[in-house]
C-alpha cells in the first residue's frame, strides 16, 4: 500500500468541501426556539383590549375598549383574527385549543425553552375573553365587529371607526360548532393550567361543560345564527366539533360519560366514517381521531376498544395521506414539497397538519407502535421527520429561500397584509388615520411596512411555490391566528431535538421575557372554583399570589386555603404534599414523609372555617391530598 500525502491543493479542496458541508448543515439547522419566541410575539400584536404594562409589541396600543357595551355585556379583550379587526369566535377558539394542546403534549420542551409563562399568557388572553363571552349557560357571544364594514376600511385598531356590533348564539339561535369548539378550547386550557393554577383550571372546566351541553342540546350551524360570519368563516358542519369537545372533556375530566359519547356517536357524527386529508379551524375530524387514538394506545379503551380502533384507522389515513403513502389518496404537494390544501392562507393547513403529525408520532412512540399505511408500516419517526420538513420549508428551506415567518431569518415578507403593521404607530403618528385615508396613504404604499410584526405567519406561496410579497395579495401575505396556534408546540418539539441551547436566540427581536404564570386578577378570586377532594369535607383553593425571577429561574408564591365545607367540626387533619421543592409556612411537619398537619391552634376546623398555608417553588404547584381527618 502506497503512502498518501496531502498536497496543498488537495488540502484546500478538502477544507472547501468541509466548509460547504458545514454551510449546508447550518442552512437547514434552524433555531426553532427563536421562531417559537417570535410566534408568541405575534399573539401580542393581535391583542384587543387594554394592553398590559409588559406588552412587548410597542407599536400596538389599547383598542376595542367599548366592545359589547351597546349590548350590555363586557366583551373587551380577545384577539383580532388576522389583518383585520374582527373577533371571530370559531377560529379564535380553535387557535386556543392548538396553543393548549401544544402546552400539554410538549410541556417539558416549552418549559426547557423558558417559554411556558408566555405560552400560558397567550392561552389566557383567549380564555378570559371566552368566559366573559359566556355570561349564561346557553348564551355565547361569538363575534365582535362586522367583516364587510371592517374590510371597507384600512385603519389602525387604535383608530377604529367601524361598527363594533356583537353577535351571539343562544337557545333560539344555536351554534353547535362555535359552542363546541369553545368548549374544547376551555377544556384543553384547563389541562394546560392544572399544574400551575388549579383554581383557574377548575373555573375553565365549569364553562367548558356548560358550553358542551349547550352545543349538544341546541343544535345548529353558528353561521346561520350569526349571518355576518358566513362570508368569512363558513362552517361545513358541527358534528366534528361535538366529538372534538367531548374528546377534550374526557381528557380533562376522565369522566366515562364523554368517552361513551364519542363512541355512541362515532358512526352518526362521522368520527369513524370520515377519512380526511385536512385538519383546520373548520374540520376537526383528524384531531378527534388522533386524540382518541391516544386513549387506545395507552390501553384505556376497555369496552370501547373496538370503536376506538376504527377511530385510529382514520387517524392512520390522515397520517399516510400527508406522508404520500396512501395509494394515491394523498394530500397535494407543491414541487418544492409543501402540503397544499387551499388557495387562501394555505400555510395554516400546513402548520395544523404538521403539529398533528408530531403529536401522533409521540403517541405511537410511547406505545411502541407504528403507523399502518396501505404501502406498509411506518415508524413514528417518519411522521416527525415529515413535520420537520414542513417547518423547515416555512422557515426558509424552499425554492424562494424565504422565511414565511416575519422577522425570522434574513429574508421574509415586508409588505404584510395587516392594518396595524402597515401604518405608523400612534406613538409616531399621533393624528387619526381615517378609513379612506388608510387606503390612499398606507395600503397602496410601495415601501415596506413601518412596523415589523414579528412572528406573523403569512398565507404563503401558491401551488407552484410562487410568492408575491404584495400587501394587496391577501391570500399570500395576510397572517391569521389559526395559522400560528399550532407552531408553539411544533417548534418546541423540533428545538428539543437540537438541544435547548439556541445560538443567536432572540437576536433582532425586541424581547423582554415575562415568565410569570398567569393567575386571576383580584376581582376574579371570588369567582374561582375550588379544587375539592372527592369524598372529604375539606376543599382546597389554590392560587399564585406572587412571582419573581432570579437569573433564569422564576419562583412562585403558592397560597392554599384549606376550608371545612361540612356542617361538623373537623379535627386532626393530615395532608400529603408531594413534589414540594421549596420552603413552606403555616403547617407543621410530621415524622411521616411528605406529611403535614395543621398548626396546634388550628387543630379544629369549625364548619365553614378555613386556614391558610403558603409555599415557594419554581414550576408547577405541589400535589396536595388528604391523608386523614376526624
Amino acid at each position: 500500500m502506497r503512502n498518501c500525502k496531502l498536497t496543498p491543493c488537495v488540502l484546500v479542496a478538502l477544507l472547501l468541501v468541509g466548509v460547504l458541508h458545514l454551510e449546508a448543515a447550518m442552512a437547514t439547522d434552524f433555531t426553532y426556539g427563536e421562531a417559537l419566541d417570535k410566534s408568541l410575539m405575534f399573539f401580542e400584536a393581535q391583542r384587543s383590549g387594554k394592553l398590559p404594562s409588559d406588552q412587548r409589541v410597542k407599536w400596538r396600543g389599547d383598542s376595542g375598549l367599548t366592545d359589547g357595551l351597546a349590548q350590555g355585556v363586557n366583551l373587551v379583550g380577545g384577539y383580532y383574527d388576522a389583518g383585520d379587526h374582527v373577533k371571530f369566535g370559531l377560529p379564535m377558539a380553535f387557535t386556543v385549543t392548538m396553543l393548549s394542546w401544544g402546552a400539554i403534549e410538549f410541556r417539558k420542551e416549552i418549559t426547557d425553552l423558558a417559554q411556558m409563562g408566555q405560552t400560558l399568557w397567550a392561552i389566557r388572553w383567549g380564555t378570559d375573553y371566552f368566559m366573559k363571552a359566556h355570561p349564561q349557560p346557553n348564551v355565547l357571544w361569538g363575534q365582535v365587529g362586522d367583516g364587510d364594514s371592517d374590510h371597507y376600511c384600512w385603519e389602525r385598531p387604535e383608530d377604529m371607526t367601524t361598527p363594533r356590533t356583537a353577535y351571539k348564539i343562544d337557545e333560539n339561535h344555536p351554534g353547535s360548532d362555535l359552542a363546541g369548539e369553545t368548549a374544547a378550547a376551555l377544556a384543553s386550557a384547563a389541562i394546560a393550567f392544572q399544574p400551575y393554577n388549579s383554581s383557574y383550571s377548575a373555573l375553565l372546566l365549569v364553562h367548558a361543560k356548560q358550553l358542551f351541553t349547550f352545543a349538544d342540546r341546541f343544535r345548529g350551524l353558528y353561521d346561520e345564527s350569526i349571518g355576518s360570519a358566513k362570508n368569512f368563516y363558513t362552517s361545513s358542519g358541527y358534528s366534528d366539533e361535538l366529538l372534538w369537545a367531548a374528546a377534550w372533556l374526557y381528557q380533562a375530566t376522565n369522566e366515562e360519560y364523554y368517552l361513551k359519547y364519542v363512541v355512541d356517536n362515532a358512526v352518526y357524527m362521522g368520527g369513524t366514517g370520515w377519512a380526511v386529508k385536512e385538519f383546520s379551524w373548520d374540520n376537526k375530524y383528524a384531531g378527534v381521531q388522533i386524540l382518541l387514538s391516544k386513549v387506545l394506545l395507552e390501553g384505556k379503551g376497555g369496552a370501547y376498544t373496538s370503536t376506538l380502533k376504527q377511530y385510529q384507522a382514520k387517524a392512520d389515513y390522515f397520517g399516510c395521506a400527508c406522508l404520500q403513502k396512501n395509494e394515491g389518496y394523498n394530500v397535494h404537494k407543491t414541487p418544492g414539497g409543501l402540503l397544499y390544501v387551499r388557495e387562501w392562507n394555505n400555510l395554516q393547513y400546513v402548520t395544523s397538519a404538521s403539529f398533528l403529525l408530531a403529536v401522533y408520532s409521540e403517541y405511537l412512540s410511547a406505545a411502541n407502535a407504528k403507523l399502518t399505511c396501505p404501502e406498509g408500516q411506518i415508524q413514528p419517526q417518519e411522521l416527525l421527520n415529515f413535520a420537520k420538513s414542513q417547518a423547515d420549508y416555512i422557515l426558509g428551506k424552499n425554492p424562494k429561500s424565504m422565511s414565511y415567518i416575519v422577522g425570522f431569518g434574513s429574508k421574509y415578507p415586508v409588505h404584510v397584509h395587516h392594518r396595524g403593521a402597515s401604518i405608523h404607530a400612534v406613538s409616531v403618528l399621533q393624528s387619526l388615520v381615517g378609513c379612506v385615508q388608510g387606503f390612499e396613504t398606507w395600503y397602496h404604499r410601495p415601501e415596506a411596512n413601518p412596523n415589523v410584526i414579528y412572528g406573523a405567519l403569512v398565507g404563503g406561496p401558491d401551488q407552484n411555490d410562487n410568492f408575491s410579497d404584495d400587501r394587496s395579495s391577501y391570500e399570500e401575505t395576510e397572517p391569521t391566528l389559526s395559522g400560528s396556534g399550532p407552531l408553539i408546540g411544533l417548534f418546541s418539539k423540533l428545538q428539543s431535538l437540537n438541544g435547548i441551547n439556541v445560538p443567536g436566540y432572540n437576536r433582532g427581536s425586541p424581547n423582554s421575557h415575562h415568565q410569570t404564570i398567569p393567575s386571576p386578577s383580584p376581582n376574579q378570586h371570588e369567582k374561582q372554583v375550588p379544587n375539592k377532594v372527592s369524598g372529604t369535607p375539606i376543599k382546597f383553593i389554590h392560587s399564585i399570589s406572587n412571582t419573581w425571577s432570579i437569573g433564569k429561574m422564576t419562583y412562585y408564591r403558592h397560597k392554599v386555603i384549606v376550608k371545612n365545607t361540612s356542617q361538623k367540626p373537623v379535627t386532626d387533619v393530615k395532608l400529603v404534599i408531594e413534589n414540594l421543592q421549596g420552603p413552606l409556612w403555616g403547617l407543621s411537619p410530621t415524622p411521616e414523609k411528605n406529611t403535614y398537619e395543621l398548626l396546634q391552634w388550628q387543630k379544629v376546623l369549625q364548619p365553614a372555617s378555613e386556614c391558610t398555608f403558603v409555599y415557594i417553588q419554581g414550576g408547577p404547584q405541589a400535589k396536595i391530598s388528604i391523608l386523614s381527618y376526624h
Side-chain angles (χ1 to χ4, degrees):
M1 182 185 228
R2 189 175 61 182
N3 286 333
C4 295
K5 293 184 178 180
L6 293 178
T7 66
C9 290
V10 172
L11 183 60
V12 168
L14 288 174
L15 287 171
L16 181 60
V17 169
V19 168
L20 291 173
H21 276 297
L22 178 61
E23 288 182 349
M26 290 175 65
T28 57
D29 188 19
F30 294 107
T31 51
Y32 303 106
E34 180 188 348
L36 182 154
D37 184 65
K38 289 189 163 93
S39 297
L40 284 167
M41 288 186 69
F42 171 66
F43 288 100
E44 294 189 28
Q46 295 301 103
R47 284 172 171 170
S48 180
K50 180 72 176 176
L51 301 184
S53 59
D54 58 3
Q55 170 87 4
R56 294 183 293 174
V57 182
K58 300 302 182 184
W59 50 267
R60 278 298 322 283
D62 299 342
S63 62
L65 298 182
T66 61
D67 283 356
L69 181 63
Q71 291 77 29
V73 61
N74 179 5
L75 297 177
V76 176
Y79 288 108
Y80 298 123
D81 176 62
D84 52 29
H85 302 140
V86 183
K87 296 192 290 198
F88 288 107
L90 185 59
M92 192 197 306
F94 174 73
T95 301
V96 170
T97 308
M98 291 298 97
L99 285 168
S100 300
W101 201 353
I104 295 165
E105 298 301 341
F106 303 115
R107 189 174 87 186
K108 182 182 184 301
E109 290 83 352
I110 294 174
T111 301
D112 286 346
L113 288 168
Q115 292 285 14
M116 184 54 78
Q118 293 286 8
T119 301
L120 291 179
W121 273 114
I123 295 168
R124 178 145 195 175
W125 200 267
T127 53
D128 279 354
Y129 171 76
F130 294 145
M131 289 192 290
K132 288 195 290 186
H134 181 228
Q136 300 171 41
N138 295 338
V139 173
L140 177 65
W141 293 87
Q143 183 176 319
V144 178
D146 173 70
D148 290 325
S149 63
D150 181 272
H151 283 57
Y152 291 144
C153 288
W154 193 265
E155 53 192 355
R156 299 171 296 198
E158 296 82 7
D159 295 338
M160 273 191 292
T161 58
T162 51
R164 300 300 290 169
T165 311
Y167 305 87
K168 68 178 179 179
I169 56 174
D170 54 29
E171 296 175 8
N172 298 318
H173 308 88
S176 301
D177 30 22
L178 174 60
E181 180 58 69
T182 309
L186 294 169
S188 56
I191 304 173
F193 270 96
Q194 177 59 37
Y196 304 97
N197 193 329
S198 57
S199 295
Y200 187 68
S201 172
L203 182 61
L204 293 171
L205 266 183
V206 170
H207 284 272
K209 289 182 175 182
Q210 289 181 354
L211 281 166
F212 173 72
T213 301
F214 170 42
D216 188 39
R217 184 178 176 188
F218 300 96
R219 296 188 182 183
L221 291 169
Y222 94 103
D223 56 16
E224 291 182 356
S225 298
I226 304 177
S228 63
K230 192 177 285 288
N231 291 333
F232 302 93
Y233 286 99
T234 306
S235 176
S236 60
Y238 56 74
S239 292
D240 53 333
E241 277 87 6
L242 289 174
L243 294 173
W244 181 236
W248 274 114
L249 278 163
Y250 176 68
Q251 292 291 324
T253 66
N254 203 35
E255 294 176 15
E256 186 179 356
Y257 169 80
Y258 297 108
L259 183 60
K260 188 175 186 298
Y261 183 95
V262 297
V263 169
D264 290 348
N265 292 285
V267 176
Y268 168 65
M269 292 185 177
T272 55
W274 280 103
V276 297
K277 296 184 288 185
E278 169 192 325
F279 176 54
S280 68
W281 59 266
D282 179 46
N283 191 327
K284 318 292 163 49
Y285 279 115
V288 172
Q289 291 153 358
I290 286 176
L291 193 58
L292 292 177
S293 295
K294 178 186 180 183
V295 179
L296 180 68
L297 290 166
E298 289 178 342
K300 298 177 181 178
Y304 308 116
T305 296
S306 176
T307 303
L308 292 177
K309 285 183 177 179
Q310 296 176 51
Y311 272 109
Q312 188 184 12
K314 294 301 185 291
D316 286 352
Y317 179 98
F318 176 81
C320 299
C322 290
L323 266 59
Q324 312 294 295
K325 297 181 181 297
N326 208 36
E327 290 188 335
Y329 296 96
N330 299 316
V331 182
H332 180 71
K333 291 175 70 177
T334 68
L338 181 72
L339 293 176
Y340 193 82
V341 179
R342 294 278 190 281
E343 180 182 3
W344 182 79
N345 204 286
N346 177 64
L347 286 184
Q348 67 177 314
Y349 304 99
V350 177
T351 59
S352 55
S354 300
F355 171 82
L356 207 52
L357 295 179
V359 168
Y360 198 25
S361 173
E362 293 280 296
Y363 295 166
L364 291 169
S365 296
N368 197 28
K370 297 178 181 179
L371 177 71
T372 302
C373 295
E375 299 178 17
Q377 289 201 317
I378 310 298
Q379 293 291 342
Q381 183 63 37
E382 289 197 38
L383 286 168
L384 187 58
N385 291 344
F386 185 81
K388 181 180 183 298
S389 75
Q390 299 301 291
D392 289 350
Y393 184 109
I394 290 170
L395 294 177
K397 190 179 180 182
N398 55 62
K400 294 290 184 182
S401 297
M402 168 181 276
S403 164
Y404 292 110
I405 290 185
V406 178
F408 183 88
S410 59
K411 181 183 178 183
Y412 50 81
V414 296
H415 300 90
V416 183
H417 183 94
H418 189 277
R419 288 160 175 75
S422 68
I423 305 173
H424 271 311
V426 174
S427 59
V428 177
L429 182 65
Q430 297 181 9
S431 59
L432 179 76
V433 176
C435 174
V436 178
Q437 180 192 357
F439 278 111
E440 293 175 345
T441 307
W442 299 97
Y443 181 75
H444 298 294
R445 187 170 175 261
E447 290 84 7
N449 289 355
N451 305 312
V452 179
I453 182 166
Y454 285 99
L457 175 75
V458 298
D462 65 15
Q463 60 183 333
N464 296 311
D465 300 297
N466 296 316
F467 178 78
S468 175
D469 186 8
D470 188 329
R471 210 171 286 118
S472 63
S473 180
Y474 59 86
E475 300 94 337
E476 298 180 7
T477 60
E478 185 172 18
T480 62
L481 287 177
S482 53
S484 293
L487 288 176
I488 308 307
L490 177 63
F491 285 153
S492 68
K493 175 60 180 179
L494 295 179
Q495 184 59 52
S496 72
L497 303 178
N498 295 344
I500 63 171
N501 183 25
V502 186
Y505 186 48
N506 294 334
R507 184 173 56 220
S509 70
N511 187 1
S512 60
H513 282 289
H514 178 77
Q515 285 301 319
T516 55
I517 302 299
S519 59
S521 55
N523 65 345
Q524 287 177 307
H525 278 293
E526 296 176 0
K527 300 178 183 178
Q528 290 183 18
V529 178
N531 181 22
K532 185 173 181 180
V533 179
S534 178
T536 76
I538 302 294
K539 69 180 179 183
F540 302 129
I541 301 176
H542 198 148
S543 61
I544 296 173
S545 58
N546 197 10
T547 63
W548 62 93
S549 296
I550 300 176
K552 294 184 178 181
M553 190 65 183
T554 300
Y555 294 91
Y556 309 94
R557 183 180 185 272
H558 298 263
K559 175 184 176 183
V560 183
I561 297 174
V562 183
K563 187 170 184 177
N564 177 8
T565 60
S566 71
Q567 302 300 314
K568 299 178 180 179
V570 176
T571 62
D572 300 324
V573 176
K574 285 190 176 181
L575 308 178
V576 175
I577 305 180
E578 301 173 87
N579 305 324
L580 183 64
Q581 303 165 9
L584 178 147
W585 297 271
L587 295 176
S588 298
T590 72
E592 302 169 73
K593 183 180 179 182
N594 299 334
T595 304
Y596 298 81
E597 59 187 7
L598 302 187
L599 299 176
Q600 187 64 36
W601 57 275
Q602 292 177 323
K603 285 291 185 181
V604 180
L605 271 182
Q606 298 295 336
S609 66
E610 59 188 40
C611 65
T612 301
F613 68 91
V614 298
Y615 62 92
I616 294 173
Q617 66 184 35
Q621 66 187 33
K623 181 180 179 182
I624 304 170
S625 57
I626 298 289
L627 177 64
S628 62
Y629 64 94
H630 292 100

